[in-house]
Every structure is written in structure tokens, then in C-alpha cells.
Amino acid sequence: MVEPLQLVAVKPPSAALAHSRPEEWRDLGWHAPLDPDAAEDQHRRLVSILEGAGAEVILLGPDGRTGLDSMYAHDCALVVPAGVVPLCTGKPQRRGEGPALATALVDHGIPVLGGLDDPAAHAEGGDCVWLDAATLVVGRGFRTDAAGVGAISRLVEPTGVEVISVDLPYWRGPADVLHLMSFISMVDHDLAVVHLRLLPVALYELLVDRAIELVEVPDEELATQGTNVLALAPRHVLMLDGNPMTRARLEAAGCRVETYDGGEISLKGDGGPTCLTRPLRRG
């Protein structure tokens, strides 16, 4: 999750809005509707930063199987060495996103594998954090269920990957957005951004055992996506503007920090730069 980003898929707001209903934002738990023009401007800035870091960007187009939440392209797939695995999301309104992404990626010549082996399994990419190439931590919560954790384990363990399941807190309940990546982002092999008060004890102990340094996000910067930090390369990161304490701590840890204005595309739907991007290749 930290090697230089080479290929990434994103979905512009206009494409996500193309098949959404006028009041869909309420049903999805957004805080307010998007301003289409402002959202598009902010998203273009995001794409320019990704391209400036050397990444090739795939712009996903409209798809009738998807709605507003599909702008957060990270959640509907898991990337493994052999290709991309479409996921069946825990949020029912997002179930068409995995198949839609698969169609788009096949059209771009990206290897797409079959889904998880359990048709009843629900999982989301935001609950999957690679600590290294051989260790995948999966959060068990309202978006990724026990069947989803099991199906992911059966998929990757034959390749030598260890899957470590950690339980997520109830937080604000099943209607809220809480992923494992809501309180941890890897930004180097030995550096993670975390919100300690939400971090599962088992995960905290694992990070300490592996000598992974922790950059703590203060309580007041949790709601503004302070924990949601995308590694463009080791210690070269992208984060939402408006989190000065977290930024200062990252810079003190030797990180080069870039920021973007996400008042429309991030704060309204609780999705920062990791949510807005589906990294497909690093190296």
C-alpha cells in the first residue's frame, strides 16, 4: 500500500451522479448533496496530483449499476498479485459497483479475477489493509462480515499471505461509515497514521511488534479525514486539506505532504483520498 503508485482508477463526480437519484445522498448517509461543478473541480485537482506523482489514472465512466457512492472507488474491489477481485459490498446500495468496476477494468486490459468463493460473503476494500506483501489485515464490522473475512482468507492464503482478522467497534452503528481504514493508513513500510482511540488492541500490538512507527491523529481531526492518507510513494502522501496537526506530525516523521480541497468530494460523503482511489499497481 506504500510503494510508488503506478496505476489507479478513480470515478469523477459527474460519472457517479449520472445514474443517481435526486435524494439518493440522504439514503446513502451523506451529510449534504454534491455541488456538481465544485465537486468536479476538486476531483480534477485530485487527479492532477496523482498524475504529478507519476501515476497513470483510469477515469471510470457512468454505469447504470452504480450510484453516488461509486465515486469512492476503493471499496468495491481487492487487489491481489494476480489481479483485481470484485467484492460484494456490505452496503446494499453499492452491490452493483463490483461488477461495474470489473467491466471497466476488463475494457482496459486489467486482469480481473472471479469474485469471492462464498456468494453470501460481504466485504469492502476499506476494511483491507496490507501491512506488507505477505500480511493482510481485514476488519470485521458492519461492512465486511465473518463470511467475507473467511472468503478473503481462502482466496489469498494459498499464495502465502497471512490474513489477520480484527474486530471493529460499533461506533455509530450499521448505518454509519466505519472501515478499518477509517483509523489506519499505511504511509511507509514502517510508518502508519492511526487514531489510537479506535484502533483494535490486537492491531495496535501487531504494529508495535513489527516496529511500525505511529503518527497519531487527534480527536478533533478524525471527522475531517485526518486518518485518511494516501501513500503516493513511501513517505510521499496525499491528505485532505484542513488537518494541520496531523500534517505537522507527518512532516515531522519525514513525510512530504500534498493536500487537496475535499469539501465536496470528501467531507460530504466521509471519503478521503484512499476512498476516492482504487490503486491497481504499485512498484
Side-chain angles (χ1 to χ4, degrees):
M1 300 189 83
V2 302
E3 288 298 309
L5 188 59
Q6 295 179 340
L7 180 65
V8 59
V10 301
K11 189 160 187 177
S14 57
L17 286 165
H19 295 283
S20 67
R21 296 173 286 102
E23 293 297 310
E24 185 179 27
W25 64 274
R26 295 185 190 275
D27 298 335
L28 294 174
W30 284 52
H31 302 293
L34 278 183
D35 177 323
D37 293 335
E40 206 67 23
D41 286 344
Q42 290 177 8
H43 199 270
R44 278 194 291 266
R45 167 60 180 158
L46 177 77
V47 169
S48 72
I49 294 172
L50 298 173
E51 292 176 334
E56 178 185 352
V57 179
I58 295 174
L59 297 177
L60 302 172
D63 190 299
R65 293 169 287 184
T66 69
L68 182 58
D69 264 354
S70 64
M71 188 172 65
Y72 300 126
H74 192 97
D75 289 328
C76 61
L78 174 66
V79 177
V80 298
V84 179
V85 181
L87 299 176
C88 182
T89 62
K91 194 172 185 177
Q93 301 97 317
R94 303 188 68 179
R95 298 275 161 83
E97 292 182 27
L101 179 66
T103 299
L105 295 184
V106 167
D107 290 345
H108 281 87
I110 310 287
V112 176
L113 310 180
L116 301 180
D117 62 5
D118 183 350
H122 299 130
E124 298 192 1
D127 284 324
C128 302
V129 173
W130 292 89
L131 294 189
D132 56 44
T135 312
L136 177 64
V137 180
V138 182
R140 160 71 172 94
F142 289 118
R143 299 301 185 85
T144 298
D145 55 25
V149 175
I152 290 172
S153 298
R154 291 190 294 274
L155 173 74
V156 301
E157 285 179 343
T159 67
V161 172
E162 179 185 12
V163 174
I164 300 172
S165 176
V166 295
D167 289 334
L168 304 189
Y170 180 87
W171 193 230
R172 297 192 181 97
D176 195 45
V177 179
L178 186 73
H179 287 126
L180 180 61
M181 292 176 68
S182 297
F183 38 82
I184 178 171
S185 294
M186 296 298 298
V187 294
D188 200 349
H189 301 286
D190 58 355
L191 186 67
V193 179
V194 300
H195 184 66
L196 279 178
R197 278 158 45 87
L198 282 174
L199 199 68
V201 171
L203 180 53
Y204 169 77
E205 293 175 341
L206 179 62
L207 297 172
V208 171
D209 287 346
R210 295 188 175 217
I212 296 174
E213 181 185 354
L214 306 181
V215 174
E216 294 185 41
V217 174
D219 289 348
E220 51 267 50
E221 292 186 359
L222 179 64
T224 51
Q225 306 291 313
T227 52
N228 200 309
V229 182
L230 176 70
L232 302 171
R235 302 202 187 215
H236 177 194
V237 304
L238 176 62
M239 66 183 302
L240 184 64
D241 194 19
N243 294 287
M245 288 182 283
T246 303
R247 177 174 185 166
R249 292 173 184 181
L250 281 163
E251 290 174 338
C255 292
R256 173 189 170 193
V257 180
E258 299 194 56
T259 63
Y260 71 101
D261 177 6
E264 290 291 327
I265 60 176
S266 291
L267 294 180
K268 288 185 174 180
D270 291 322
T274 64
C275 305
L276 287 160
T277 54
R278 177 61 272 176
L280 299 169
R281 186 173 66 243
R282 291 180 179 270

